[in-house]
Amino acid sequence: MASLSQHIMSRRGFCLCCVTATTAAASGGWLTPRQAFAQARNIVDMIRNEAAKAPIKVHGLRRNVSILEGSGGNIGVLTGADGKVFIDAGITVSRPRILKEASSLSGDPIKHVINTHWHFDHTDGNQWLNAEGAAIIAHENTHKHLLVAERVEDWDFTFPSSPLPAIPTETFSSEKILELNRFTLHLKYYGPAHTDSDISVAIPEADVFHCADTYWNGFYPFIDYSTGGNIDGMIKAADANVAAVTDNTIVIPGHGNPVSNKAELSAYRDMLVAIRDNVARLKQQGRSLDETIAAKPTAAFDAKWGQFVITPALFTRLVYQGV
Ligand SMILES: [Zn+2]
């Protein structure tokens, strides 16, 4: 557990999505989800323990938009007279450190939370943020997933339904505009991608664009097939992200270095497309999953993208499943 802990603490943007692979990496080989889970014992407690220790780092972006890094997914914060707007909620145990850093930005109360998708590392803080007075806004599928016990096969884990104060209070199906703090927040549903509940958040006045977990900056991404994600949806989302930004836009990934740009985003999109094509070709030739992994369809990209918790083998498996 010590090496796993160091691994998590040493890298940015640790995510529940990654635990299966983290465990596999720590043990030096691929494990089935059940084996990985048995080894990790209680991954949710483990993540809470990590978040309980992690410092929260503040990145000032542009105008009154900042990022809080260190509690699950990258949290966007917009300050102003209408109260703070959080983009994602982080993990509950980070509450005192998030509050301290958020208070250092401004004295405004937290009035709105936007969940970019239903995963624990983006919604766990909903309850305390709601207790602070925040309305919770999300795609209707985030609302649906949080209302019930939800199983994620790749984690071999079933999340209980969320308590009522953690459930989104405002939902939408396609797009939603929020006018707050003299900014326009444009929320847009991707369609099935990383899950079936992912939304982007654009703030045009600051030229900032939050991609949720459709973009992992510098790492192969997790794709949650259990709740509607798939590789072709991830590529479609990456195309939409590239089309939505310019060379001046500050691009926020769900995980990885929180301050990114169009060039890095485009490289990520090209990586997804190339690996999808390689894996699809092998699968069409009749290769099994193990044979496809052995053929190393990600090899050209591993040095740059495969050095974190989603290993080349796991990412190959996630792509193979969807082609
Ligand atoms: Zn996620």
Side-chain angles (χ1 to χ4, degrees):
M1 221 41 109
S3 67
L4 178 56
S5 167
Q6 285 157 10
H7 183 75
I8 291 165
M9 295 303 289
S10 69
R11 299 301 297 258
R12 287 176 165 149
F14 170 69
C15 173
L16 178 61
C17 310
C18 315
V19 169
T20 300
T22 305
T23 310
S27 68
W30 172 247
L31 302 172
T32 66
R34 195 164 299 278
Q35 287 168 325
F37 177 65
Q39 190 167 354
R41 292 173 197 278
N42 187 334
I43 54 177
V44 174
D45 282 349
M46 190 174 70
I47 285 158
R48 289 200 171 107
N49 292 340
E50 293 299 335
K53 291 181 283 185
I56 299 297
K57 190 172 174 192
V58 181
H59 302 259
L61 297 188
R62 196 177 274 154
R63 298 186 60 180
N64 44 340
V65 183
S66 303
I67 292 289
L68 304 182
E69 179 189 15
S71 180
N74 293 319
I75 300 171
V77 180
L78 172 65
T79 60
D82 296 328
K84 289 192 186 85
V85 182
F86 271 40
I87 305 170
D88 278 338
I91 293 169
T92 302
V93 289
S94 307
R95 175 179 184 166
R97 286 171 301 288
I98 288 175
L99 268 178
K100 179 168 168 274
E101 298 305 336
S103 301
S104 77
L105 297 173
S106 78
D108 317 313
I110 305 165
K111 298 299 277 184
H112 295 85
V113 178
I114 298 163
N115 292 146
T116 62
H117 63 295
W118 80 272
H119 279 159
F120 160 86
D121 50 326
H122 302 256
T123 58
D124 189 55
N126 278 4
Q127 185 168 8
W128 77 260
L129 288 161
N130 179 256
E132 293 282 323
I136 303 169
I137 300 144
H139 186 261
E140 61 192 14
N141 288 342
T142 294
H143 180 262
K144 181 185 81 180
H145 292 308
L146 292 180
L147 268 182
V148 298
E150 200 63 83
R151 180 164 179 78
V152 176
E153 283 301 331
D154 280 310
W155 305 332
D156 194 21
F157 195 87
T158 302
F159 291 86
S161 61
S162 295
L164 200 57
I167 303 292
T169 47
E170 295 173 38
T171 64
F172 67 98
S173 59
S174 171
E175 296 190 43
K176 186 177 179 73
I177 303 278
L178 297 172
E179 309 261 5
L180 293 166
N181 299 327
R182 300 185 183 176
F183 282 72
T184 314
L185 289 94
H186 189 174
L187 285 50
K188 190 170 181 189
Y189 181 48
Y190 282 104
H194 166 75
T195 65
D196 66 359
S197 62
D198 313 295
I199 61 167
S200 56
V201 182
I203 311 175
E205 293 88 346
D207 202 357
V208 167
F209 191 85
H210 195 310
C211 300
D213 274 7
T214 70
Y215 176 31
W216 291 39
N217 188 11
F219 317 127
Y220 293 138
F222 181 67
I223 304 171
D224 181 4
Y225 284 82
S226 287
T227 56
N230 67 76
I231 178 62
D232 286 346
M234 284 293 270
I235 291 170
K236 217 182 272 181
D239 284 337
N241 290 337
V242 170
V245 303
T246 72
D247 290 338
N248 293 321
T249 307
I250 296 176
V251 179
I252 306 171
H255 296 281
N257 188 343
V259 186
S260 187
N261 55 48
K262 184 170 187 171
E264 291 176 347
L265 184 63
S266 298
Y268 169 84
R269 181 255 176 215
D270 293 347
M271 174 276 292
L272 293 183
V273 170
I275 291 177
R276 188 228 178 265
D277 289 350
N278 289 347
V279 172
R281 199 177 314 115
L282 292 163
K283 192 170 181 180
Q284 279 156 16
Q285 290 168 4
R287 307 239 196 155
S288 68
L289 172 60
D290 285 346
E291 289 164 351
T292 301
I293 290 170
K296 301 192 185 307
T298 65
F301 299 93
D302 290 346
K304 180 171 177 187
W305 302 93
Q307 304 303 309
F308 192 36
V309 287
I310 303 295
T311 60
L314 174 56
F315 189 57
T316 301
R317 187 167 74 84
L318 292 171
V319 175
Y320 187 92
Q321 201 172 336
V323 297

